Amino acid sequence: MASATITFPIVITTESLDSLLSHQTLINHFQSSLPTVSASLCSPIRQSYDVSPSSSLLLMPSWSSSPSLPYLGVKLVTYFPQNSALNLPGVHANYVLFSSTTGQTLATMDGTALTLYRTSCVSALASRILSRNDSQVLVMIGAGALAPHLIRAHLAARPSLKKVIIWNRTVEKARNLAEKMQESVAFEGVCFESSGCLDEVVGMGDIVSCATNSEVPLVKGKTLKAGAHLDLVGSFKHSMKECDDEAIRRGRVFVDNEAALVEAGELVGAFERGVIGKADVCGMLVELIKGDKAGRRSCEEITVFKSVGSAVVDILAAQLVYETHMQQNQ
């Protein structure tokens, strides 16, 4: 039997990851890869352990049986909400990529940055399929760490966008983000603004993207314009909701994966109240990419996309980072 080559793990820093990934390349990677490899990936339900009354450790594994994706990966996440008193982030994450052939560790990388990229690019890929081709105004609700990634990803997916309006509970954070994005040379021809009037700006959005921890509905369905696309990213438990029942009732609803049907507060609540049933959800992202389910059917209808994330897109994002690094360092 031939001996295998011993590999030494690569450490990919946040700065390196930013140089290896772009939102455009990751959107394209998801679009080409998700339909072909999803069936070969095993992604058990994430495990969560309480390491103290207020702190948690989460493990999110995934592995592939396909020769075209010879990887096994685990995202390790710690949740320490009391860190805010120490002026530290409450969430830290690392992603470890292994060979599924030999089990050798191939790379470790910043799991927080990887999650920001993959989350925003899943939303943008759905928008590429569901939002109107002539969308011009993006409304960004929330100005946290995910917001600039969502803005960049949506702009990559919809080059027709000409204006971005940012709203945040803390008006100054929205203003600062708008100013920072406007200064970037990457967005020539795009106007960035901030606003303190949520209902007014929602009605202006061709695409409305939400990334908040809100437990009260921020987007009222009656304020959405005809033809709008609503992108819901923030909620991941039943108590959280970024839009009201009317937004769910008015829209054709799509999800990133089946977990959204049992985790997302907007959907679980709508099911419980009889606003829609699970059977009324129009499809998942993979079905949209394949064309198995119809996306936007008219310029007047409202579309809604709810994502909760998965280990599948984690390992695909890690694959792109690792293989790009290896190509550049041959």
Side-chain angles (χ1 to χ4, degrees), residues 312-323:
V312 170
V313 285
D314 283 333
I315 198 169
L316 287 175
Q319 172 204 12
L320 183 61
V321 172
Y322 175 70
E323 291 182 358

Side-chain angles (χ1 to χ4, degrees), residues 100-118:
S100 60
T101 307
T102 65
Q104 294 180 96
T105 309
L106 301 174
T108 64
M109 59 192 78
D110 182 339
T112 302
L114 192 77
T115 302
L116 293 171
Y117 272 100
R118 66 85 153 141

Side-chain angles (χ1 to χ4, degrees), residues 143-145 148-149 151-152 166 172-187 192-194:
H149 280 270
I151 291 169
R152 289 174 185 273
I166 304 168
E172 187 178 359
K173 284 189 72 176
R175 186 186 308 119
N176 290 344
L177 179 57
E179 290 174 357
K180 183 179 178 181
M181 300 298 283
Q182 191 68 74
E183 290 167 4
S184 172
V185 294
F187 306 124
F192 292 86
E193 302 174 3
S194 61

